[in-house]
Amino acid sequence: MTEESGPERDPETPGAPGDLLGAFRDVGAAGRSGFAAAKHVGEALRALVAADIALARSALGRALAFTAVAIVFGVSAWLLLMAALVAVLGAAMQWSWPLALSVVALANVAVTAWAGWRAISYFEHTRMKATRRQLAQLGIGDGDGDNEDVADGDEATRS
């Protein structure tokens, strides 16, 4: 009669009563591997934040140095421009000395513009863009903030 009732079940096949314990073990192993993966993600995010802060700190120092250069050359350019104006007024348009001062003043203005541009480019590193991108992907925070303005503008144009 065993043929009529069907083959006997092997305890190792799925659906066997003892398989519930194995399923619990599998769930536990999956939970441990998921926790280990989350731990690795946390360590990678911590390393990213640390590197981003180090970059921001370095960029801030450089930006301050270039800002100081811009201020020094800006002040000297202003003083030279004023000296050139005084010389033009005093010499009654005899162009030799005031022209020389004007050329030097324009050179100082060019250096001031260059140093200001470099300072602005280094200040961009203080925004921590890589960390903000990763946190936004994880759904933490509201991202860069710039995207909200774009999204608001897109919704306004659709209305």
Side-chain angles (χ1 to χ4, degrees):
M1 243 175 98
T2 57
E3 292 176 3
E4 292 174 10
S5 63
E8 285 190 29
R9 292 184 154 241
D10 185 17
E12 298 299 322
T13 60
D19 196 41
L20 183 61
L21 185 59
F24 280 131
R25 285 188 193 119
D26 291 343
V27 168
R32 283 188 296 276
S33 67
F35 179 75
K39 181 181 172 188
H40 290 302
V41 166
E43 290 170 355
L45 187 59
R46 185 194 60 77
L48 174 67
V49 169
D52 217 4
I53 288 174
L55 177 65
R57 184 177 45 227
S58 172
L60 182 62
R62 289 180 183 184
L64 290 176
F66 278 109
T67 301
V69 169
I71 290 170
V72 167
F73 278 95
V75 167
S76 65
W78 177 255
L79 291 174
L80 287 169
L81 284 172
M82 289 299 103
L85 179 61
V86 169
V88 166
L89 293 175
M93 308 294 277
Q94 293 288 330
W95 297 112
S96 60
W97 193 53
L99 183 60
L101 285 173
S102 297
V103 168
V104 172
L106 288 176
N108 277 291
V109 168
V111 171
T112 302
W114 172 77
W117 170 68
R118 294 302 301 156
I120 289 170
S121 69
Y122 279 115
F123 271 125
E124 282 296 314
H125 292 298
T126 63
R127 296 186 65 202
M128 298 176 60
K129 290 181 181 179
T131 301
R132 288 177 183 224
R133 261 195 318 270
Q134 292 303 318
L135 289 174
Q137 283 182 352
L138 293 174
I140 301 172
D142 55 354
D144 195 21
D146 296 338
N147 295 338
E148 292 176 3
D149 298 336
V150 173
D152 291 342
D154 288 344
E155 289 177 4
T157 57
R158 288 183 206 152
S159 300

